[in-house]
Amino acid sequence: MEINLINLIERYGDDKKCRKYLEALRWQDGMICPRCSGTTISRIYDRDQFDCDDCRYQFSVTAGSIFDGTHLPLWKWFLAVYLILESKKAISANQLKRSLAISYKTAWYLCHRIRRAVLEASKSKLKGIVEIDETYVGGKKRYVGSGSLEGKTMVLGAVERGGEIRLRVERRKKATKKVLHAFINSTTEPTTERLMTDENPAYLGIADADTTHETVNHRAEEWVRGDVHTNSVEGVWSLFKRGIVGSYHQVSAKHLQAYIDEFEWRFNGRDNPELFRDTMIRLLNTPKMEFKELIEKSA
Ligand SMILES: [Zn+2]
């Protein structure tokens, strides 16, 4: 079911409704005890909790998940997930703070926990026709001459035509052959039919027996030659940069990968009518994180 603000409030406008929904998602094959995997469970009605008949462990539907121990009402979590998924150009912690009437710290924590949850552990590799490009974000433009990359962070991107994207922050400063080839090898299947890039010589040598490498020469003002172009990946960059510039006036390099993961999740789910549900399942399956751990992991 596609979620909009109206049915979100109708369906998940209070904690009771949210809990019911999470129970249905978490225990699709029947309720099990998170401690002993027992299946004889009683409900404790006045506490939103359950009691395992085998080991007497008492738990709630959010036990062990990223929601565990939250002081924020669940319906605010639901709204936050909705707002994050709905904001094509990303939403800042400050905006979330205002929209949900919560403190900045809570909003920041919420954003980071949700981002952490959508970080996909094992990503499938792209195939078919894949466009590759690199771009640079951030840096204090005012203090450096044009063309300088000082203070900027490199982001590498791969886009499967008609499919998903993979974006990655690259800590090294230069898009060398080693950096680019490693990125391509880690994001695309060895059997990818065609790779499309610009004329950057560091891409050379990426072709092999079952993969062709085709380039457009941007320096010579060549943007499209037949179906050879990098327009898909450039479209992703423009959306990504509008989000970064519009929502986060300054994204520190250390948080950039988390923003990128969120952007990727939203972009890859753009045609998924069940994106909200799938995101909720991820939140349930992601262990909770302490504030300290979150800050360290973001570093
Ligand atoms: Zn048990």
Side-chain angles (χ1 to χ4, degrees):
M1 181 202 60
E2 211 135 0
I3 296 283
N4 56 47
L5 195 52
I6 303 303
N7 64 26
L8 181 86
I9 290 166
E10 279 169 2
R11 282 161 190 261
Y12 316 118
D14 65 50
D15 257 44
K16 218 182 177 68
K17 290 176 179 171
C18 293
R19 278 182 195 282
K20 231 179 149 174
Y21 178 69
L22 294 179
E23 283 170 27
L25 285 186
R26 181 163 187 174
W27 294 305
Q28 294 180 35
D29 305 317
M31 202 176 286
I32 64 163
C33 169
R35 183 171 285 174
C36 75
S37 302
T39 52
T40 319
I41 315 278
S42 330
R43 184 185 285 269
I44 310 170
Y45 280 94
D46 56 348
R47 274 199 280 132
D48 291 324
Q49 281 200 321
F50 304 92
D51 180 65
C52 172
D53 282 0
D54 294 324
C55 74
R56 299 263 72 103
Y57 179 55
Q58 296 189 346
F59 56 94
S60 73
V61 65
T62 58
S65 77
I66 209 157
F67 302 102
D68 199 355
T70 182
H71 298 297
L72 198 66
L74 283 175
W75 63 269
K76 287 203 177 186
W77 275 90
F78 277 53
L79 259 174
V81 169
Y82 171 78
L83 291 172
I84 287 174
L85 294 180
E86 219 17 55
S87 313
K88 299 277 179 273
K89 292 190 286 173
I91 187 166
S92 67
N94 247 317
Q95 181 63 50
L96 213 54
K97 168 195 148 182
R98 289 192 294 272
S99 299
L100 299 180
I102 54 181
S103 72
Y104 179 77
K105 189 179 165 184
T106 302
W108 186 90
Y109 194 18
L110 196 55
C111 283
H112 278 267
R113 285 211 271 190
I114 293 169
R115 285 197 191 103
R116 204 42 73 176
V118 299
L119 205 162
E120 287 171 279
S122 61
K123 285 175 175 166
S124 60
K125 291 186 171 185
L126 305 180
K127 54 191 187 312
I129 302 177
V130 181
E131 299 176 22
I132 312 280
D133 196 15
E134 75 277 3
T135 193
Y136 295 86
V137 295
K140 295 188 180 84
K141 267 189 211 154
R142 269 176 295 169
Y143 304 112
V144 296
S146 67
S148 169
L149 300 176
E150 193 181 323
K152 288 183 174 292
T153 306
M154 194 195 323
V155 179
L156 302 173
V159 178
E160 178 178 317
R161 285 211 192 142
E164 298 198 340
I165 61 172
R166 300 286 180 262
L167 305 181
R168 194 164 302 158
V169 172
E170 175 55 56
R171 296 290 174 120
R172 280 163 291 193
K173 292 285 166 208
K174 279 192 172 164
T176 60
K177 184 172 179 175
K178 192 177 164 193
V179 165
L180 295 176
H181 286 216
F183 173 69
I184 293 170
N185 288 329
S186 67
T187 52
T188 61
E189 288 286 354
T191 54
T192 298
E193 290 156 41
R194 304 165 76 191
L195 292 170
M196 313 248 170
T197 70
D198 61 22
E199 71 279 12
N200 183 345
Y203 285 114
L204 293 177
I206 197 64
D208 61 24
D210 46 16
T211 307
T212 62
H213 174 212
E214 291 150 273
T215 63
V216 274
N217 193 348
H218 289 171
R219 283 209 181 122
E221 304 268 316
E222 180 192 44
W223 306 98
V224 180
R225 194 180 60 254
D227 69 347
V228 182
H229 62 79
T230 54
N231 292 350
S232 317
V233 66
E234 274 150 32
V236 168
W237 291 146
S238 93
L239 193 61
F240 175 66
K241 287 185 175 182
R242 270 183 282 149
I244 291 282
V245 173
S247 304
Y248 316 103
H249 299 291
Q250 52 210 147
V251 174
S252 63
K254 70 174 187 176
H255 289 143
L256 190 59
Q257 187 63 52
Y259 292 110
I260 281 179
D261 292 333
E262 179 199 316
F263 179 88
E264 218 182 283
W265 174 254
R266 193 167 41 228
F267 190 91
N268 290 337
R270 66 199 181 280
D271 296 324
N272 176 7
E274 299 293 351
L275 186 62
F276 183 83
R277 183 204 62 189
D278 292 350
T279 305
M280 282 298 173
I281 291 174
R282 275 195 177 272
L283 290 171
L284 277 172
N285 290 330
T286 304
K288 80 174 208 180
M289 268 168 293
E290 301 301 340
F291 194 66
K292 193 169 158 273
E293 183 194 1
L294 196 63
I295 292 170
E296 280 163 5
K297 280 199 171 172
S298 304

